[in-house]
Amino acid sequence: MELRQIKYFIKVAEMEHVSEAAAELHVAQSAVSRQIANLEEELGVDLFFREGRNIRLTPVGRIFLDHVKIAVVELEKAKQEVYEFLNPETGTIRLGFPTSLAAKTLPSVISAFRKEHPQIGFQLRQGTVPELTTAVIQGHIDLAFVSPVPHKQTDVKGQIFFTEKVMALLPLNHPLADEPYLRLVQLRHEPFVLFRQGYILRDTVMKACQQVGFNPRIAFEGEDVDTIKGLVSAGLGVSLLPEITLYGSSEQEWKAIEIIEPNVKRTVGIIIPQNRQLAPSERIFFEFLKQFYDKLNRFGE
């Protein structure tokens, strides 16, 4: 069994068409067909149903695909780690991040890191915290910013960098907009603008509201911070957002107010895999992050 055969098999399985897969691979169709046939002969099973020009995986072919895709990822990772061991300052870090950390945290950290390590590159992937956690566990990304930081997961290890308040966000003309602080129960009759299901921030808001005795009436759902701010600014509801998402924003059309009851906070940090060691460039970045936030926390910024 050759790596070339495996790569041809994966491409054909994804496209369900031999000639189109061959075009993507920049090889002759006959070469792809021959390698697939050799692979099936070696395994002693049919990996595909042939249906004219189209093909599709057999049940055993689908099982085989699931395993070889993991194997190819591990092989590519092994090549990367060997290269980075020899050249730690020229590696590439696959970094995940949630939408709530996209505007402030991610750019400031990467900018500071690149000043010290200009040759290390990044491949960025945005997603929800559950999506990013799965990607780290499966090896699709190397490490990920998350919030909150998990502390009881066996597959990933969390490192907390800071804790921040979650603030109430109100339209500027709201009757409570001039209050110095709020109790969350004061918003029990308001329409809420929240992240859609699957986002941890939505769960944070729901639990906080339930803690003081009500379920929020959800008027709108969004997938990014700017959308939620815009809907609040338009007077379509109120929301709760972390402090860091409000930095650098104009308060001309909305007002952020501290919530004193309950005490709504979240941890922010990074997760790394438990089942493998970080590559040298990843370790450089991880150690940089710990020092970077240690300095910020000591100076109270």
Side-chain angles (χ1 to χ4, degrees), residues 258-278:
E258 181 181 357
I259 300 170
I260 62 168
E261 185 183 336
N263 186 11
V264 190
K265 294 183 178 181
R266 72 167 187 170
T267 55
V268 178
I270 208 157
I271 54 172
I272 61 176
Q274 288 274 34
N275 59 353
R276 67 170 180 83
Q277 292 184 343
L278 294 177

Side-chain angles (χ1 to χ4, degrees), residues 15-20 29 49-56:
M15 305 196 72
E16 296 187 335
H17 201 285
V18 176
S19 60
E20 291 180 4
Q29 177 179 339
F49 292 118
R50 274 73 175 179
E51 300 171 340
R53 294 186 178 182
N54 295 320
I55 62 175
R56 59 185 177 88

Side-chain angles (χ1 to χ4, degrees), residues 95-157:
L95 177 64
F97 62 97
T99 183
S100 64
L101 299 177
K104 177 69 177 179
T105 299
L106 190 72
S108 60
V109 165
I110 291 181
S111 176
F113 179 75
R114 290 296 297 275
K115 289 179 181 178
E116 297 184 16
H117 307 278
Q119 299 302 314
I120 295 180
F122 287 89
Q123 294 178 359
L124 302 178
R125 175 171 175 174
Q126 187 169 344
T128 65
V129 171
E131 290 168 349
L132 296 174
T133 302
T134 299
V136 169
I137 293 171
Q138 294 180 348
H140 299 305
I141 57 177
D142 303 315
L143 58 173
F145 280 103
V146 295
S147 180
V149 181
H151 57 89
K152 291 185 179 180
Q153 288 209 17
T154 57
D155 295 321
V156 295
K157 177 183 178 181

Side-chain angles (χ1 to χ4, degrees), residues 124-254:
L124 302 178
R125 175 171 175 174
Q126 187 169 344
T128 65
V129 171
E131 290 168 349
L132 296 174
T133 302
T134 299
V136 169
I137 293 171
Q138 294 180 348
H140 299 305
I141 57 177
D142 303 315
L143 58 173
F145 280 103
V146 295
S147 180
V149 181
H151 57 89
K152 291 185 179 180
Q153 288 209 17
T154 57
D155 295 321
V156 295
K157 177 183 178 181
Q159 173 75 42
I160 296 173
F161 292 141
F162 62 92
T163 300
E164 65 172 341
K165 298 175 184 177
V166 176
M167 309 285 284
L169 200 69
L170 278 61
L172 195 59
N173 61 357
H174 192 280
L176 299 174
D178 292 328
E179 296 292 325
Y181 53 81
L182 290 174
R183 290 178 171 80
L184 187 55
V185 72
Q186 292 176 265
L187 302 178
R188 63 188 180 280
H189 299 306
E190 301 289 336
F192 275 72
V193 181
L194 300 182
F195 283 94
R196 65 169 173 81
Q197 289 187 352
Y199 284 77
I200 297 295
L201 275 174
R202 178 193 178 98
D203 297 336
T204 299
V205 176
M206 297 295 291
K207 290 177 182 177
C209 293
Q210 291 165 0
Q211 186 177 341
V212 294
F214 74 97
N215 287 309
R217 176 166 59 89
I218 302 171
F220 294 94
E221 297 179 335
E223 295 189 1
D224 63 80
V225 171
D226 288 337
T227 297
I228 290 176
K229 289 179 184 176
L231 292 170
V232 172
S233 297
L236 299 176
V238 301
S239 190
L240 271 63
L241 288 177
E243 274 186 298
I244 203 166
T245 65
L246 308 175
Y247 290 155
S249 298
S250 170
E251 290 196 7
Q252 293 180 355
E253 298 182 8
W254 51 260

